[in-house]
Amino acid sequence: METKIFRISSIFENPDALQQAADILAGGGLVAFPTETVYGLGADGLNEEAVRAVYRAKGRPGDNPLILHICDTEMLSLLARQVPEQAIRLGLEFWPGPLTMVLPKTARVPDAVSGGLDTVAIRFPDNLIARELIRRSGRPIAAPSANLSGSPSPTTAQHCIDDLMGRIEAIVDGGPCGVGLESTVVSLTGEVPTVLRPGGITVEELQRVLGQVQVDPAVTRPVEEGKRVSSPGMKYKHYAPKARVVLVDAGREAFVRYVNERKGEGIFALCFSEDSSALQAPAVCYGGRAKPEEQAQGLFGALRQLDDLGAQLVFAHCPSKDGVGLAVYNRLLRAAAFEVVTL
Ligand code: TXA
Ligand code: MG
């Protein structure tokens, strides 16, 4: 199939292109589009067939449910059977923004979206192009990240082109994503609000609004074989470049020494910007040492760059594990398939 590319500098300058992309969505087609987190691969979230096509285009396992993206509260009541008070408090504080809430679903939500669960993940994105696209299409948009399943999520339109060209109807190029990692997913279906995936809205911020919030153990630990998980996405190896990645949990000097003792053919470092000059192996930086937001923004592009450079083995310097750092750490743990060296 021929994939159309729409370059949109702003919703005010390119309304016709936006309308064409929205019409493709309304007609059951697939459109990759920018959000503030990562690019999403959108489909009509109420159209079972369109949703199935998303799984096919990505090569995604069918039991890993999708997030429905909304642009107003009317869509929320169409999709959620119940909107608990906690959801309202979070919505007032963080929507539109990089927060996804898991809520009890209505019968309107197709099983193909919810992966057969009784719940649905809902997000109100804070990106004008995304919101205008949803509004113009007139329906909630199901959108996983717009990458091939297993590869790092796309933070630029070029990443979507690299992965999905010829497999989907259109790609909306709206520039690079600001946050760079996928949204925080919080489940509000149990006793205590539970973070299933850390992201740009931190656990600390959620606790400030809700009081008690717990973090699902699968955020930082591998899921045991055969064990039931609250978020099916957590059991898959995600965000992985083709190279073997080893996460090195160490201070600056120990990391530099560790890499310099092991340099060789195909060996790369994934490091903080301040440290690249001290490394004797070729290095790709993913942000400043004390700048978790910058690390979040740079990580997925850096992982893709390592593949382009032909890296075989990557020693990645572990970020701090609090605030936005927890989200960066979570993605790197998965990129490393939980192979961690602690020095
Ligand atoms: O930032 C984001 O969230 C991006 C952009 C495009 O909005 N989307 C995204 O979608 O990351 P995806 O499909 O790559 O990740 C969705 C995550 C998966 O880990 C999935 O298992 C989880 O949300 N999820 C979806 N529905 C769920 C549900 N009903 N219960 C628990 N987890 C759910
Ligand atoms: Mg994804």
Side-chain angles (χ1 to χ4, degrees):
M1 124 181 19
E2 203 201 314
T3 304
K4 286 204 180 86
I5 303 207
F6 299 111
R7 295 218 155 70
I8 298 193
S9 48
S10 87
I11 58 164
F12 304 105
E13 282 155 284
N14 312 93
D16 296 344
L18 262 176
Q19 188 59 49
Q20 283 181 56
D23 291 344
I24 294 174
L25 285 169
L30 306 188
V31 178
F33 64 98
T35 82
E36 75 278 22
T37 58
V38 300
Y39 272 73
L41 176 58
D44 177 351
L46 301 179
N47 176 339
E48 188 101 48
E49 261 316 297
V51 171
R52 282 212 199 87
V54 168
Y55 287 87
R56 280 199 303 275
K58 274 183 66 93
R60 180 179 173 109
D63 67 343
N64 191 7
L66 306 181
I67 295 171
L68 288 179
H69 295 70
I70 61 172
C71 64
D72 58 38
T73 53
E74 219 172 297
M75 284 188 185
L76 178 62
S77 23
L78 178 80
L79 305 170
R81 192 165 74 236
Q82 237 174 287
V83 181
E85 202 233 317
Q86 291 168 325
I88 294 171
R89 298 224 305 269
L90 290 182
L92 286 172
E93 190 74 23
F94 301 117
W95 273 0
L99 178 69
T100 297
M101 297 192 227
V102 175
L103 299 168
K105 78 176 187 85
T106 63
R108 296 293 301 271
V109 178
D111 277 341
V113 167
S114 57
L117 299 171
D118 187 37
T119 56
V120 61
I122 302 178
R123 179 158 114 76
F124 189 156
D126 181 28
N127 173 298
L128 278 177
I129 296 176
R131 270 149 59 190
E132 188 67 7
L133 205 56
I134 301 166
R135 192 189 65 76
R136 284 174 184 265
S137 77
R139 56 206 81 214
I141 297 299
S145 46
N147 52 297
L148 286 174
S149 198
S151 76
S153 292
T155 53
T156 65
Q158 187 59 49
H159 296 160
C160 302
I161 293 171
D162 293 343
D163 277 19
L164 296 173
M165 198 69 180
R167 301 172 73 90
I168 61 178
E169 276 75 10
I171 296 172
V172 173
D173 180 352
C177 301
V179 178
L181 295 182
E182 307 87 342
S183 61
T184 303
V185 178
V186 62
S187 170
L188 299 173
T189 59
E191 290 276 298
V192 179
T194 306
V195 172
L196 303 179
R197 180 177 72 184
I201 303 296
T202 64
V203 176
E204 294 83 351
E205 285 175 298
L206 297 176
Q207 281 166 340
R208 182 166 51 71
V209 175
L210 296 182
Q212 204 189 0
V213 173
Q214 60 187 18
V215 177
D216 194 287
V219 165
T220 51
R221 285 208 292 277
V223 175
E224 285 161 51
E225 197 80 40
K227 200 164 173 258
R228 211 192 74 83
V229 288
S230 350
S231 180
M234 291 193 295
K235 66 182 185 214
Y236 298 105
K237 183 177 171 188
H238 251 84
Y239 320 112
K242 295 179 191 83
R244 172 178 157 218
V245 177
V246 177
L247 190 56
V248 182
D249 195 347
R252 175 180 193 267
E253 273 161 37
F255 176 74
V256 169
R257 202 175 329 116
Y258 187 85
V259 171
N260 288 349
E261 278 166 6
R262 282 164 183 77
K263 60 183 190 297
E265 180 82 20
I267 298 183
F268 283 69
L270 176 60
C271 67
F272 302 132
S273 333
E274 296 89 343
D275 302 336
S276 65
S277 57
L279 293 164
Q280 289 157 20
V284 172
C285 302
Y286 72 103
R289 188 185 317 128
K291 296 183 173 159
E293 279 85 8
E294 201 178 287
Q295 295 163 14
Q297 223 242 332
L299 179 64
F300 286 146
L303 291 176
R304 282 179 182 258
Q305 201 187 331
L306 285 162
D307 274 344
D308 294 343
L309 292 166
Q312 305 290 312
L313 173 59
V314 175
F315 295 115
H317 201 171
C318 190
S320 83
K321 298 163 193 165
D322 50 9
V324 175
L326 180 66
V328 182
Y329 175 58
N330 166 270
R331 306 311 191 273
L332 269 169
L333 271 175
R334 279 165 173 73
F338 291 94
E339 189 176 350
V340 181
V341 172
T342 307
L343 301 177

